[in-house]
């Protein structure tokens, strides 16, 4: 009886309860704590949990985190990338070496290290993090909101941030339409342990530490090979319609990578993990609820770039904005302020990411033929290559627009003409 009473007890009142401590939840927690909010983060897993991810930290993500979170984040970068190599469906190769500017930030991390660091910073800033707490319900209680965890505990907050990732089931309760099938994609792949120094030597006639992107592996999306310190991160990402025949598609990808001399011929690699990603007609149609005093951010809001699949930028920038809006709503004692969140994220990164991103995705991911033509067009034009490099690096929040402008309108026709004679391999330095 005593135990039951204890289980049903509601916690003290928090200004903010954040559900999920991935990058979006942790950055929201760091921002909120620094703004003086009594903040609780509830995480279903534990500190140091892993997430299947390429771990590509763009220039934009590292810069944002260094400026708004902590310079310590750079310590989590395992490999500094010095360029990228794109393969077209027909095996054309675009090799781009980064100059000093693009090398300044960005690289590859292991998510268990990167996410743990952000959680630790959140705690050191004063946010309270509770691990092994799966939130299963959200209820309104007069002016406040009560969340219930799987172990029966209840936590009361004045505001909520949903940062529980792509599989969110809680937003629906607060009237946020869930991510539909057309807004979801899937990834599958592996982390293959390898003596990476030998591979860096093997690749050095092109670029020694590039990321590789292979188009044509799936009709929509791409395959990637990202080098880490002690392993290769290999995967394929596509929309849900094409999220099948995993084994066959993966083996085909590995063979293509071997023939392109990216992987040594003797490697036997199988996929062993898969995860969902917001992809396609994103973001989520609504990201706030005044009634439930709640904002959604990161994957739970669908903040993933529709061309590159980069989700960490939307997670960290979105998380910070959500916390700032909640601070304002508390200051004015007016939950209606939450409405401003959508204008804010749209202005700061959404228009570039989603309005222009979806236009490019529509052109590039139409079919294999469109991918081939698109890559040929980019390969033949130095300005296109430069803008693509800035887009892949998320150099700033107009990169998608700038890239779109370079490949659309009248330019499209001149690029098409120019691309007729593009060779099988082009090398650039940007
Ligand atoms: C295979 C793959 C490769 C990718 N590669 C890249 C890449 O290279 N670069 C890039 O920028 N993006 C990449 N992404 C996207 C990126 O991983 C996500 O966009 C990013 O993790 C989103 O962060 P988040 O904090 O919103 O969600 P998550 O990182 O998913 O964190 C959500 C957290 O919420 C917790 N949680 C869930 N439900 C509950 C609950 N009910 N109660 C309490 N806690 C809960 C989870 O345990 C988790 O810790 C990739 C995605 C995939 C699937």
């Amino acid at each position: 009886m005593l135990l039951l009473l204890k289980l049903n007890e509601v916690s003290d009142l928090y200004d903010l309860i954040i559900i999920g401590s991935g990058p979006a939840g942790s950055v929201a927690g760091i921002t909120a704590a620094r703004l003086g909010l009594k903040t609780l983060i509830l995480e279903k897993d534990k500190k140091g949990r892993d997430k299947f991810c390429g771990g590509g930290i763009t220039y934009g993500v590292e810069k944002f985190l260094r400026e708004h979170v902590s310079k310590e984040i750079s310590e989590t970068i395992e490999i500094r990338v010095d360029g990228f190599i794109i393969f077209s469906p027909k095996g054309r190769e675009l090799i781009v070496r980064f100059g000093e500017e693009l090398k300044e930030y960005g690289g590859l991390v292991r998510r268990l290290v990167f996410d743990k660091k952000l959680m630790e910073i959140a705690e050191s800033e004063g946010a309270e993090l509770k691990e092994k707490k799966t939130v299963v319900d959200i209820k309104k209680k007069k002016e406040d909101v009560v969340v219930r965890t799987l172990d029966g505990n209840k936590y009361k907050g004045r505001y909520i941030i949903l940062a529980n990732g792509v599989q969110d089931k809680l937003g629906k309760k607060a009237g946020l339409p869930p991510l539909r099938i057309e807004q979801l994609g899937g990834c599958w792949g592996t982390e293959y342990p390898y003596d990476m120094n030998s591979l860096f030597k093997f690749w050095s006639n092109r670029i020694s530490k590039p990321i590789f992107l292979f188009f044509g592996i799936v009709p929509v999306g791409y395959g990637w090979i990202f080098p880490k310190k002690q392993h290769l991160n290999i995967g394929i990402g596509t929309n849900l319609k094409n999220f099948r025949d995993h084994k066959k598609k993966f083996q085909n990808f590995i063979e293509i990578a071997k023939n392109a001399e990216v992987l040594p011929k003797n490697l036997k690699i199988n996929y062993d993990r898969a995860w969902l990603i917001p992809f396609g007609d994103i973001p989520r149609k609504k990201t706030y609820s005044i009634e439930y005093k709640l904002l959604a951010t990161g994957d739970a809001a669908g903040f993933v770039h529709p061309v590159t699949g980069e989700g960490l930028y939307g997670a960290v920038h979105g998380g910070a904005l959500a916390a700032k809006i909640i601070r304002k709503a508390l200051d004015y004692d007016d939950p209606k302020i939450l409405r401003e969140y959508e204008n804010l994220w749209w202005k700061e990164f959404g228009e570039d990411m989603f309005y222009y991103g979806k236009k490019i995705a529509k052109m590039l991911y139409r079919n294999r033929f469109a991918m081939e033509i698109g890559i040929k067009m980019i390969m033949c034009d130095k300005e296109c290559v430069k803008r693509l490099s800035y887009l892949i690096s998320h150099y700033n929040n107009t990169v998608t627009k700038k890239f779109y402008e370079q490949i659309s309108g009248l330019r499209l026709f001149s690029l098409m003409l120019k691309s007729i004679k593009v060779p099988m391999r082009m090398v650039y330095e940007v």
Side-chain angles (χ1 to χ4, degrees):
M1 187 63 187
L2 205 65
L3 182 70
L4 262 179
L5 273 177
K6 202 163 172 50
L7 284 179
N8 290 326
E9 219 171 76
V10 180
S11 71
D12 292 345
L13 180 64
Y14 290 90
D15 291 322
L16 173 62
I17 298 179
I18 299 169
I19 305 173
S21 71
S26 290
V27 173
I30 293 162
T31 314
R34 285 182 184 162
L35 291 171
L37 271 63
K38 183 172 156 66
T39 304
L40 172 68
I41 309 177
L42 297 171
E43 166 56 47
K44 80 168 176 194
D45 214 311
K46 60 176 172 32
K47 234 188 290 167
R49 67 102 178 87
D50 205 2
K51 177 186 188 276
F52 178 38
C53 178
I57 300 295
T58 56
Y59 180 104
V61 170
E62 191 183 354
K63 186 164 184 281
F64 184 90
L65 289 174
R66 284 180 66 92
E67 285 172 4
H68 300 277
V69 172
S70 166
K71 291 196 171 57
E72 278 174 52
I73 207 64
S74 299
E75 294 162 16
T76 66
I77 298 214
E78 277 204 0
I79 296 285
R80 286 271 169 209
V81 169
D82 46 16
F84 63 86
I85 301 180
I86 286 183
F87 289 90
S88 78
K90 288 198 173 156
R92 281 194 167 75
E93 207 175 323
L94 169 63
I95 302 179
V96 181
R97 296 194 181 107
F98 288 161
E100 286 313 309
E101 192 182 25
L102 286 180
K103 267 193 209 162
E104 196 184 345
Y105 301 124
L108 296 158
V109 299
R110 276 182 303 150
R111 284 293 298 272
L112 68 137
V113 177
F114 176 77
D115 290 24
K116 184 167 177 246
K117 179 60 134 189
L118 287 175
M119 291 180 210
E120 283 168 356
I121 299 173
E123 284 185 303
S124 70
E125 291 296 335
E128 190 181 337
L129 171 70
K130 287 189 188 287
E131 305 170 66
K132 300 274 175 200
K133 293 283 179 193
T134 305
V135 176
V136 289
D137 198 15
I138 307 176
K139 276 206 164 66
K140 280 186 305 171
K141 204 163 186 188
K142 293 185 188 149
E143 296 299 294
D144 304 317
V145 193
V146 175
V147 304
R148 183 167 57 83
T149 49
L150 193 60
D151 55 13
N153 287 313
K154 291 179 179 170
Y155 302 91
K156 191 158 66 161
R158 298 172 75 189
Y159 284 87
I160 305 274
I161 290 181
L162 264 189
N164 51 344
V166 61
Q167 304 218 43
D168 164 55
K169 305 261 183 305
L170 299 161
K172 211 169 141 191
K173 287 200 154 262
L176 309 192
L179 289 169
R180 306 184 314 275
I181 284 185
E182 313 80 70
Q183 297 177 302
L184 288 170
C187 303
W188 65 105
T190 190
E191 298 202 323
Y192 186 79
Y194 203 71
D195 163 23
M196 292 304 295
N197 284 329
S198 68
L199 265 188
F200 297 145
K201 270 194 209 131
F202 181 60
W203 294 335
S204 60
N205 61 337
R206 293 156 157 156
I207 312 175
S208 61
K209 287 172 186 154
I211 54 167
F212 297 93
L213 305 174
F214 288 79
F215 288 84
I217 305 296
V218 276
V220 171
Y222 58 86
W224 74 84
I225 298 180
F226 288 178
K228 305 284 174 81
K229 224 177 200 165
Q230 285 164 350
H231 69 267
L232 284 161
N233 181 295
I234 306 176
I236 301 174
T238 187
N239 55 3
L240 275 199
K241 202 170 139 201
N242 291 292
F243 189 57
R244 57 191 153 86
D245 299 332
H246 300 88
K247 195 171 172 187
K248 201 168 128 206
K249 284 180 182 149
F250 192 77
Q251 285 315 318
N252 179 42
F253 174 30
I254 297 297
E255 282 314 304
I256 289 172
K258 285 180 181 174
N259 291 335
E261 294 181 350
V262 170
L263 295 177
K265 293 268 185 211
N266 60 350
L267 295 193
K268 282 196 174 50
I269 308 181
N270 296 309
Y271 88 95
D272 56 12
R273 59 198 83 186
W275 196 249
L276 292 172
I277 184 166
F279 190 68
D281 187 22
I282 40 182
R284 199 167 177 162
K285 291 293 170 236
K286 198 172 173 209
T287 56
Y288 71 94
S289 161
I290 293 172
E291 202 187 348
Y292 277 77
K293 299 170 85 182
L294 166 152
L295 297 178
T297 198
D299 274 12
F303 290 164
V304 175
H305 199 291
V307 180
T308 61
E310 182 201 20
L312 291 168
Y313 189 85
V316 300
H317 196 154
L321 291 183
K324 283 183 189 164
I325 287 287
I326 287 172
R327 171 76 265 179
K328 190 170 172 191
L330 282 163
D331 287 345
Y332 285 85
D333 193 19
D334 182 5
K336 289 202 277 309
I337 298 255
L338 296 189
R339 266 200 207 107
E340 292 179 14
Y341 177 58
E342 290 199 344
N343 290 337
L344 194 62
W345 63 251
W346 182 256
K347 198 172 102 214
E348 294 211 3
F349 63 82
E351 183 180 14
D352 189 67
M353 220 182 210
F354 304 118
Y355 179 75
Y356 293 101
K358 279 197 260 183
K359 281 178 181 284
I360 299 170
K362 213 168 157 188
M363 291 166 86
L364 182 69
Y365 296 140
R366 191 169 295 225
N367 51 42
R368 267 176 74 91
F369 183 67
M371 272 181 196
E372 187 66 34
I373 303 268
I375 293 170
K376 277 173 74 179
M377 279 173 16
I378 297 166
M379 282 174 82
C380 70
D381 184 79
K382 183 151 193 209
E383 188 57 27
C384 265
V385 172
K386 191 173 157 203
R387 293 193 187 195
L388 175 69
S389 310
Y390 279 67
L391 168 60
I392 288 179
S393 307
H394 205 134
Y395 187 71
N396 61 34
N397 284 317
T398 56
V399 280
T400 321
K401 179 177 181 226
K402 292 267 168 60
F403 180 65
Y404 177 71
E405 284 167 354
Q406 189 64 22
I407 57 162
S408 57
L410 287 178
R411 285 208 183 87
L412 184 69
F413 296 103
S414 73
L415 284 173
M416 270 180 168
L417 283 177
K418 240 170 121 179
S419 70
I420 292 171
K421 287 196 178 147
V422 74
M424 287 303 282
R425 179 187 269 198
M426 293 288 287
V427 184
Y428 289 92
E429 177 148 345
V430 291

